[in-house]
Amino acid sequence: MHMGYPPYLRGENGGPVEPYWTQMPADLKSQWLAYVESYSVPEGELDGPCVWLDLESRRCKHHEARPSVCRDFRVGSKGCQDWRHAYGIVAPQT
């Protein structure tokens, strides 16, 4: 909900580019790069919603191409719950 845009270009600690970036379809890369070019943080916020977040369903539009940070940050985990609490986000009902 508050990633701004997925961090793909460098791996952890400046390591190699993530495989999710190199394997991503060209049209998704173009969409992502265009979003980054025009990205700005909403007034009064630390960051904004992810480029691929569907605000209505609150789900990722391109889940199969998500970066490592999204893969490692499991929905419902303690970290997830802590961030929801910090932002005052109520977990969606399943």
Side-chain angles (χ1 to χ4, degrees):
M1 289 288 299
H2 292 277
M3 176 54 72
Y5 53 82
Y8 283 106
L9 299 181
R10 291 171 15 130
E12 190 172 318
N13 299 320
V17 175
E18 288 194 45
Y20 310 112
W21 174 259
T22 58
Q23 298 165 5
M24 187 185 307
D27 61 325
L28 292 184
K29 282 185 188 179
S30 296
Q31 177 186 3
W32 185 84
L33 290 168
Y35 182 85
V36 170
E37 285 277 324
S38 63
Y39 181 75
S40 64
V41 176
E43 184 74 29
E45 297 285 333
L46 295 175
D47 55 15
C50 175
V51 61
W52 290 339
L53 177 66
D54 180 323
L55 293 172
E56 189 172 311
S57 70
R58 299 176 91 175
R59 293 186 180 273
C60 181
K61 296 177 196 174
H62 303 291
H63 190 74
E64 69 285 348
R66 70 197 186 281
S68 292
V69 67
C70 296
R71 292 169 189 274
D72 295 342
F73 196 78
R74 298 181 51 91
V75 174
S77 68
K78 179 172 177 359
C80 176
Q81 296 301 319
D82 290 347
W83 276 106
R84 287 181 185 280
H85 179 74
Y87 278 97
I89 298 169
V90 176
Q93 300 299 310
T94 57

